Amino acid sequence: MASEPTLPDASTCIVLLLGNPVEHSLSPCIHNTAFAAHDINAVYAASQVAASDLADAVRGMRALRILGANVTIPHKERIVPLLDSVSPRAEALGAVNTVVARSENDARILHGDNTDIEGFLDPLREKSGLHAQPMTILGAGGAARAAAYALGITYAPTPLTVAARRPEQAQALVDALAPHVDNTTTFAACALDDASSAVRSSRLVVNATPVGMAPNAEATPWPNADCFAPGQLIYDLVYTPRPTRLLREAKARGADTQDGLAMLIGQAAAAYRLWTDRSMPVDVVRNEVMAHLAAAS
């Protein structure tokens, strides 16, 4: 278990999570555990912020001289023009999930980055046989955009199919990302109802939708489990419940499976490094998160 957290005082650094909703977030558990393990005088708090209040929240971050922030749905894209600068990968995605604050000429400068890419790739680094293989992403929102970019710059899938309920949204994602990834990557976009062939032929299938997340644990983004087979890796970015229906059915068909907890902790570890210049004590954090999930179940 992590050591007891330092009691907040006038010198305590503040890190915020900006989103709506935020009640379900595990980020306070993750980061406060890490701060305590490293005896860092900082506190991480989830803050529910309406879209109409986001600009005011960013102004407040400057006034409070915070250490940084995480940004989640629905603000990842909306916050970009409110910041002073963004990293190249955040610019390519058009989305920020991490804000780093620093002082410059007596002003507070806010820099945006996106650590979802590192988090997404973390559990894939130990997998073999992914380069230039066919892959499919279910969904075309922010998580799908991060996954597509990560796969495109790392594995050059041939092809990378993005399947969404609205095929025009999938096509827009493909068009936006194609200039930013390995030029040997080939893209395709289609409606979910037309994705059976792509799913069957894919070495990697990623669920980048929230379908199947608690409390709707018996929902699945892909009800056609007969498309799964040995030799495939099915990666569900949902991390609760563990496992999701999607992963249970994929495993029953002989496929390898990966849930979203590793991505959650991986993106948090990358953000923690940006704020503190220290490596997150991942084993301590994972144990605390598992205990938290067990207590909540």
Side-chain angles (χ1 to χ4, degrees), residues 46 118 165 182 189 228:
E118 291 172 75
R165 287 186 299 106
D182 190 305
F228 302 138

Side-chain angles (χ1 to χ4, degrees), residues 21-235:
V22 293
E23 294 88 349
H24 66 287
S25 177
L26 289 174
S27 292
C29 174
I30 290 171
H31 288 289
N32 287 321
T33 297
F35 291 146
H38 279 158
D39 198 25
I40 293 174
N41 188 6
V43 63
Y44 187 107
S47 180
Q48 183 161 306
V49 177
S52 59
D53 294 330
L54 182 60
D56 287 339
V58 172
R59 282 191 288 271
M61 286 163 57
R62 297 182 193 276
L64 290 170
R65 308 185 72 81
I66 66 165
L67 183 63
N70 280 141
V71 187
T72 189
I73 295 171
H75 302 320
K76 289 185 178 184
E77 294 83 13
R78 293 170 176 154
I79 200 170
V80 172
L82 303 175
L83 303 175
D84 299 299
S85 61
V86 298
S87 69
R89 59 188 178 182
E91 184 176 8
L93 290 175
V96 161
N97 82 322
T98 300
V99 177
V100 181
R102 63 180 186 271
S103 295
E104 187 174 299
N105 298 326
D106 204 32
R108 205 61 172 162
I109 303 301
L110 301 180
H111 176 73
D113 206 337
N114 196 305
T115 65
D116 284 336
I117 298 155
E118 291 172 75
F120 174 81
L121 290 172
D122 260 7
L124 297 180
R125 300 189 193 282
E126 61 186 32
K127 310 293 183 182
S128 60
L130 294 177
H131 190 75
Q133 294 298 301
M135 301 178 179
T136 297
I137 296 173
L138 308 178
R145 184 179 291 260
Y149 179 78
L151 294 174
I153 64 173
T154 308
Y155 297 111
T158 309
L160 176 56
T161 301
V162 179
R165 287 186 299 106
R166 295 190 290 120
E168 66 274 15
Q169 187 180 11
Q171 187 63 55
L173 186 157
V174 164
D175 292 342
L177 286 187
H180 299 284
V181 303
D182 190 305
N183 60 15
T184 63
T185 299
T186 59
F187 281 102
C190 68
L192 272 173
D193 290 344
D194 299 328
S196 291
S197 177
V199 170
R200 287 181 188 275
S201 63
S202 286
R203 171 71 175 87
L204 172 68
V205 179
V206 178
N207 173 35
T209 79
V211 178
M213 181 184 295
N216 301 310
E218 287 309 307
T220 176
W222 192 257
N224 307 315
D226 59 350
C227 290
F228 302 138
Q232 288 183 305
L233 171 60
I234 313 303
Y235 185 179

